[in-house]
Amino acid sequence: MSEFSAQDAVFMQMALDLAQQGQFTTTPNPSVGCVLVKDGSIVGKGFHFKAGEPHAEVMALRDAGEQAKGATAYVTLEPCSHFGRTPPCAKGLIEAGVARVVSAMRDPNPQVAGKGLQMLAEQGIESAVGLLEEKAEWLNRGFLKRMRTGKPFVQLKMAMSLDGRTALANGESKWITSELSRQDVQVERAKASAILSASSTVIADDPLLNVRWEQLPKQVQQQYKHENLRQPIRVILDSQNQVQPTQRLFQVDSPVWFVSKSERDLSGYPQSCEQIILEDKAEYLHNLMLELGKRQINTLWIEAGATLAGALIEANLVDELIIYTAPKLLGDEARGLCKLPHLNKLADASQWKLHSIERIGDDVKSIYHPIVREPKC
């Protein structure tokens, strides 16, 4: 951090704040922000809004115009060096004549991976990397995990009572948590690349599993036009091909991917439906995550019953456990949070570290990260 000044940190934080404005729209691309500074003043700024549209550096350069020459560029991710749907950003910075580039972190994408910084160095442009790196990593944790492991960042959401129950014995569960908590879930869904659930949940609850625009906070609605907010892909585990075209799931204009063991006739389903055929074997859930990674799913939001929740936890596939706790007591006959193997020793229990806790009305939102990460196969 010694090579960076306090002023550098201020401008990089501005770039990170800009990057966050793309968190609902950029997938499968990362969220990136850029600030151009000359003689201590901001001359240009921009962020990446959507895949296929100009990157953050291009937007900032457009904003700066001729003032970009001799400026310092603060970018939350290493400038790209390859031709994709848009030209290389490193090339654009070189042609604009910037004097210095500060990146929060290197891009683990094999197509970049240091090549952008090398490109700048070869043209005599001073560059530095590592400023507010931890914040930049957190912002794009889904994209970064996919690039590094081939799997999405998995978020398992559950709602429970004070005594750890998710539904009454008869299955009634609407609504354990408050309207404010459900609104918060809409925001989390909107950030996700895909939502995963099981056919049992779809058949029992007949959910839409979509982002409901009208339930998003007013500041989000004001910042984005309705048509710009994408709907996450819905991924449904349906090994027996039980989900029917009459489910409410298909009332939403968003793809549904069925995961099953055999082909199904999709003639009665919307054209956006696809199939993922996976063998039902020990590595099933791991193979599913790899398949979703290949399909460019960065962040996977999971809403499922106790069986699937327990299986994902037991397989060490959950990166983030998000629990909404309501101030209610449902009793010992109500349904539990997740199904896990019987334990004989407390030392064998799945262990988690509290990342954050937030009050949402009378409910509490707790986020946990696993302590042990070794994969189980």
Side-chain angles (χ1 to χ4, degrees):
M1 183 72 182
S2 58
E3 62 183 305
F4 303 115
S5 67
Q7 191 177 49
D8 285 334
V10 169
F11 291 129
M12 183 60 78
Q13 184 59 58
M14 290 181 181
L16 286 165
D17 292 342
L18 283 168
Q20 281 192 317
Q21 294 185 45
Q23 63 185 331
F24 298 111
T25 52
T26 59
T27 188
N29 287 0
S31 297
V32 182
C34 178
V35 172
L36 291 171
V37 178
K38 190 173 184 178
D39 299 326
S41 299
I42 296 173
V43 295
K45 55 186 179 180
F47 68 95
H48 181 46
F49 183 70
K50 189 182 292 187
E53 296 189 6
H55 289 187
E57 297 92 324
V58 174
M59 298 302 290
L61 289 171
R62 287 180 182 176
D63 190 35
E66 293 183 359
Q67 293 185 85
K69 188 172 183 179
T72 294
Y74 295 89
V75 194
T76 58
L77 189 66
E78 175 186 356
C80 63
S81 56
H82 64 290
F83 280 91
R85 284 197 261 181
T86 57
C89 291
K91 185 172 182 288
L93 292 168
I94 292 167
E95 291 175 349
V98 299
R100 179 180 178 231
V101 176
V102 179
S103 300
M105 61 174 294
R106 287 183 171 82
D107 190 340
N109 184 341
Q111 292 180 296
V112 185
K115 296 173 187 173
L117 295 171
Q118 181 183 347
M119 205 177 200
L120 297 169
E122 288 172 352
Q123 296 300 316
I125 296 175
E126 179 189 351
S127 65
V129 65
L131 178 60
L132 302 187
E133 184 172 9
E134 189 174 334
K135 289 185 176 182
E137 287 253 356
W138 181 253
L139 177 64
N140 283 310
R141 55 198 184 279
F143 172 79
L144 297 175
K145 188 189 174 191
R146 179 169 68 86
M147 286 294 139
R148 290 165 176 164
T149 70
K151 297 177 181 179
F153 186 88
V154 176
Q155 297 174 297
L156 174 60
K157 168 259 176 182
M158 291 186 281
M160 70 177 192
S161 61
L162 287 174
D163 49 351
R165 304 295 171 170
T166 62
L168 298 179
N170 63 9
E172 183 184 348
S173 62
K174 292 184 178 180
W175 297 102
I176 288 179
T177 54
S178 67
E179 184 178 346
L180 286 175
S181 287
R182 298 196 295 276
Q183 184 183 75
D184 189 73
V185 168
Q186 294 301 315
V187 175
E188 297 286 4
R189 283 182 177 182
K191 295 176 187 176
S193 307
I195 298 172
L196 174 71
S197 193
S199 58
S200 56
T201 298
V202 172
I203 292 168
D205 299 341
D206 201 17
L208 291 167
L209 290 177
N210 68 327
V211 177
R212 293 187 269 286
W213 170 263
E214 68 280 0
Q215 291 184 22
L216 291 172
K218 283 188 169 53
Q219 62 266 31
V220 176
Q221 295 186 37
Q222 290 167 356
Q223 186 175 352
Y224 297 87
K225 292 182 179 178
H226 191 177
E227 60 269 20
N228 285 331
L229 275 184
R230 58 180 178 80
Q231 287 289 347
I233 294 164
R234 280 82 53 79
V235 182
I236 308 300
L237 302 186
D238 188 17
S239 60
Q240 303 301 319
N241 296 340
Q242 294 178 309
V243 175
Q244 300 299 312
T246 52
Q247 307 286 166
R248 293 176 68 234
L249 200 66
F250 306 106
Q251 295 177 9
V252 179
D253 185 18
S254 174
V256 172
W257 295 351
F258 291 112
V259 184
S260 56
K261 295 182 289 186
S262 59
E263 294 280 346
R264 74 194 298 156
D265 182 9
L266 291 178
S267 57
Y269 296 83
Q271 291 185 346
S272 58
C273 290
E274 296 182 27
Q275 300 182 75
I276 299 175
I277 309 298
L278 285 180
E279 292 183 34
D280 189 8
K281 53 186 181 181
E283 301 86 1
Y284 174 80
L285 288 173
H286 288 275
N287 291 338
L288 171 61
M289 296 306 159
L290 288 170
E291 178 62 31
L292 294 178
K294 289 177 185 176
R295 291 170 176 250
Q296 297 189 306
I297 299 300
N298 290 337
T299 304
L300 183 65
W301 176 264
I302 299 176
E303 296 187 27
T307 301
L308 178 55
L312 289 160
I313 291 171
E314 177 64 13
N316 285 334
L317 288 172
V318 178
D319 297 292
E320 194 165 80
L321 188 59
I322 301 175
I323 299 179
Y324 295 86
T325 305
K328 299 173 183 176
L329 295 168
L330 303 187
D332 60 354
E333 292 186 2
R335 299 184 182 184
L337 195 62
C338 57
K339 292 182 180 180
L340 292 168
H342 175 76
L343 297 177
N344 292 313
K345 295 185 296 182
L346 195 57
D348 293 334
S350 176
Q351 297 186 53
W352 299 77
K353 181 179 180 180
L354 180 64
H355 171 73
S356 64
I357 190 164
E358 175 186 0
R359 179 173 178 172
I360 302 179
D362 288 333
D363 296 343
V364 174
K365 178 185 181 183
S366 308
I367 299 179
Y368 299 87
H369 293 158
I371 292 175
V372 179
R373 299 307 312 277
E374 291 84 0
K376 292 183 179 181
C377 295

